[in-house]
Amino acid sequence: MALSEEVKNDKIEVVQLAAGYPVVQVRTASIIKRDDVEISRSFHRHVLTPDADLSGEDADVVAIANTVFTDEAKAAYAATQEAE
């Protein structure tokens, strides 16, 4: 009876906020298997803003974030942060 764990990006979403900038939502699934049969799955979600450090993210997340976090998005996010 062998147990294994797999962690993978389960869902990556881009959400355009009313404040004028996008965020990237990443849902990660942790999958526990016994003899290659899934016995458990749990989820973790985190959100990336235009000023996020992407160094710890998977390549697919970085590619999407680099596409949507344009200079305009970064400026809109910075303006919102200053207003708060």
Side-chain angles (χ1 to χ4, degrees), residues 10-37:
D10 181 65
K11 186 183 289 189
I12 305 169
E13 301 172 307
V14 176
V15 179
Q16 183 68 34
L17 300 182
Y21 61 88
V23 295
V24 177
Q25 298 183 136
V26 181
R27 185 173 83 173
T28 305
S30 296
I31 304 161
I32 306 295
K33 295 180 179 182
R34 179 184 304 133
D35 297 327
D36 294 324
V37 175

Side-chain angles (χ1 to χ4, degrees), residues 55-69:
S55 62
E57 299 295 332
D58 289 340
D60 53 349
V61 175
V62 172
I64 292 169
N66 284 336
T67 301
V68 299
F69 293 158

Side-chain angles (χ1 to χ4, degrees), residues 29-59:
S30 296
I31 304 161
I32 306 295
K33 295 180 179 182
R34 179 184 304 133
D35 297 327
D36 294 324
V37 175
E38 182 176 322
I39 60 172
S40 174
R41 181 180 292 242
S42 61
F43 300 101
H44 170 77
R45 182 180 295 268
H46 65 279
V47 178
L48 302 170
T49 56
D51 69 339
D53 176 13
L54 302 176
S55 62
E57 299 295 332
D58 289 340

